[in-house]
Amino acid sequence: NIFFLIYFLLYSKVLYEYIFICNLMFVIGFLDDIKIKVSPLKRLLMMIFSLLFLIHFMSIEIFNIDIPFLSNFLKNDIFSSIFVLLCFLFIINGANLIDGFNGLLVINLVIINSVLLYINILNGNNEFSIFLIAQIIILLSFLLFNFPSAKIFLGDGGSYAIGSLVALNSIITNNLNQIILHFFSVSFILFIFSCKDTDVVGLEVQPSSDRIEISSSNFGQNDSLFSITISTESVDSLRSDETSSLLLGSMFDPIFGFIHSSFFTQISLS
């Protein structure tokens, strides 16, 4: 809250969405920190209803994600609110999930905020860039007392709060810099439309003459029962310290393409 107060004194802007969401998520997580027993399901429901209310009340939305079929759905208010809610839930709970080792969460958040900072600096969003720099400085200051030997901890309240910070940072960065986020869309499309049939991966590479076919004849009730023992032998490693010849050069294979081979050597005293 002191951080948001300083921002208000500098820019005369009240960051309502940051203040309400971060503080509310902190309170939900802090209940567990002070040993007030709240079941995971009740905690999740508290997050869902409170976030839905704030998303609708403060009109938090993602303008464009550069994926045509999803962008069309985002024009629907109900779908847009649910989509933003899922973004918050994934990031907030993901932050709490990886906060199990000293410095692990903070280092991840510093990297994420640094990437967001680079994107905003690249597009001249100076005011928001300063906001991100301030967050990175705070995270690095906390890291001094949390890694490698921890003197202070985030707890559930802290991980929920800074997780919601990063969620808002990501949404605002997306809305401010819509034209340069094609990489994320391409990555998502490659993930969605990647190979789905795992039973035939590689069959087009192996010649049909090398495939093993198994057949059986039912002469009796038990004649068709048999067992096959299969093992894998590693043949892809070559020792180069006790060989009389070394492989050097390249070749083109019609299936695997260009294959290159090289070696390194050194002279040592015997």
Side-chain angles (χ1 to χ4, degrees), residues 190-209:
L190 290 177
F191 174 77
I192 293 297
F193 296 102
S194 58
C195 181
K196 302 177 181 63
D197 192 352
T198 58
D199 295 332
V200 298
V201 174
L203 287 182
E204 70 279 359
V205 176
Q206 182 185 21
S208 58
S209 58

Side-chain angles (χ1 to χ4, degrees), residues 16-35:
Y16 290 107
E17 62 272 20
Y18 278 93
I19 294 174
F20 283 104
I21 292 179
C22 292
N23 280 282
L24 188 55
M25 292 301 104
F26 173 79
V27 170
I28 294 175
F30 190 66
L31 293 176
D32 187 70
D33 294 333
I34 59 178
K35 308 303 180 183

Side-chain angles (χ1 to χ4, degrees), residues 12-206:
S12 299
K13 290 184 179 179
V14 180
L15 303 174
Y16 290 107
E17 62 272 20
Y18 278 93
I19 294 174
F20 283 104
I21 292 179
C22 292
N23 280 282
L24 188 55
M25 292 301 104
F26 173 79
V27 170
I28 294 175
F30 190 66
L31 293 176
D32 187 70
D33 294 333
I34 59 178
K35 308 303 180 183
I36 296 179
K37 297 299 181 181
V38 180
S39 67
L41 178 59
K42 291 181 179 179
R43 191 189 310 181
L44 179 61
L45 291 175
M46 290 169 61
M47 295 176 66
I48 290 175
F49 288 116
S50 58
L51 285 171
L52 272 177
F53 172 77
L54 292 175
I55 290 170
H56 177 74
F57 180 74
M58 297 185 174
S59 301
I60 300 174
E61 57 183 327
I62 298 176
F63 296 150
N64 181 28
I65 56 174
D66 203 24
I67 302 176
F69 68 94
L70 279 182
S71 294
N72 292 330
F73 283 116
L74 288 178
K75 296 176 182 178
N76 181 279
D77 293 337
I78 297 176
F79 181 87
S80 176
S81 297
I82 295 175
F83 187 81
V84 174
L85 170 67
L86 291 176
C87 292
F88 273 106
L89 291 177
F90 280 131
I91 297 178
I92 293 173
N93 288 284
N96 185 52
L97 180 66
I98 65 175
D99 186 30
F101 187 78
N102 295 342
L104 182 60
L105 174 60
V106 176
I107 292 173
N108 275 274
L109 296 183
V110 168
I111 295 173
I112 294 172
N113 278 329
S114 298
V115 173
L116 299 178
L117 173 63
Y118 173 76
I119 294 174
N120 284 282
I121 290 178
L122 199 65
N123 285 267
N125 300 314
N126 297 326
E127 182 178 326
F128 191 63
S129 297
I130 294 174
F131 183 67
L132 292 174
I133 291 173
Q135 291 185 45
I136 294 173
I137 293 174
I138 293 174
L139 290 172
L140 291 175
S141 301
F142 176 84
L143 189 62
L144 294 176
F145 301 96
N146 183 250
F147 182 82
S149 57
K151 298 179 178 63
I152 56 177
F153 302 91
L154 285 171
D156 286 349
S159 62
Y160 281 1
I162 61 177
S164 57
L165 267 176
V166 172
L168 282 167
N169 292 342
S170 303
I171 292 174
I172 293 176
T173 298
N174 175 81
N175 292 340
L176 291 176
N177 310 279
Q178 299 179 34
I179 62 174
I180 68 168
L181 298 179
H182 301 282
F183 168 76
F184 301 101
S185 302
V186 172
S187 301
F188 179 79
I189 292 173
L190 290 177
F191 174 77
I192 293 297
F193 296 102
S194 58
C195 181
K196 302 177 181 63
D197 192 352
T198 58
D199 295 332
V200 298
V201 174
L203 287 182
E204 70 279 359
V205 176
Q206 182 185 21

